Amino acid sequence: MSHKPVVSQRRTTPKFHVKKGDAVVVLSGSQKGKEGKVLYIDTKKGTAIVESVNIITKHRKANRQNQQAGEILNYEAPIRLCKLMLLDPTTGERTRTGRRLENGKLVRYSKKTQAIV
């Protein structure tokens, strides 16, 4: 009688409480209280880029290819996911999220209003 080894089917990236396109609010730091939409999530670093939040300024030097003067760029810097909280789509208040099975699919829901996110 031969036994097959049990192969673990672990996810390579964890599931996060926010996804691209969600409306979120910043919980701590210099950007505390600001709201925006998630544009991009880096699952390896655990960071997200949120629209109009954590704007930084970068000065670009002139180079030979462009033959133009230097420029000043403003863009959103990444922010840690642990500092973000989802905004409830029905009430607009911040809320924690949970997961439950509905019609055979795992869906996220708001802990405050029980509405599907």
Side-chain angles (χ1 to χ4, degrees):
M1 196 171 173
S2 65
H3 293 284
K4 286 187 176 181
V6 178
V7 178
S8 175
Q9 293 184 353
R10 286 190 164 182
R11 293 181 56 88
T12 55
T13 57
K15 287 189 175 184
F16 295 110
H17 62 286
V18 292
K19 289 185 179 181
K20 182 178 173 182
D22 284 346
V24 293
V25 63
V26 180
L27 298 176
S28 65
S30 63
Q31 306 293 311
K32 182 178 179 178
K34 288 191 177 181
E35 298 176 1
K37 191 173 106 174
V38 176
L39 301 175
Y40 173 77
I41 292 186
D42 188 348
T43 55
K44 291 186 179 179
K45 293 182 181 176
T47 59
I49 293 178
V50 182
E51 186 178 36
S52 70
V53 174
N54 203 19
I55 305 265
I56 62 170
T57 304
K58 190 169 188 174
H59 295 260
R60 183 179 286 173
K61 206 173 183 182
N63 58 15
R64 286 181 183 244
Q65 286 83 15
N66 290 343
Q67 293 293 330
Q68 66 179 8
E71 56 187 344
I72 299 173
L73 301 172
N74 293 322
Y75 62 95
E76 293 96 358
I79 189 165
R80 303 285 281 165
L81 286 172
C82 61
K83 294 185 175 199
L84 300 176
M85 187 175 259
L86 187 74
L87 289 174
D88 195 328
T90 56
T91 61
E93 295 179 354
R94 60 189 200 175
T95 180
R96 289 181 294 159
T97 58
R99 290 187 183 91
R100 64 179 173 215
L101 275 173
E102 285 199 4
N103 301 326
K105 274 193 116 175
L106 199 62
V107 294
R108 292 181 305 152
Y109 71 96
S110 166
K111 293 266 189 166
K112 275 189 178 177
T113 60
Q114 304 297 316
I116 294 175
V117 178

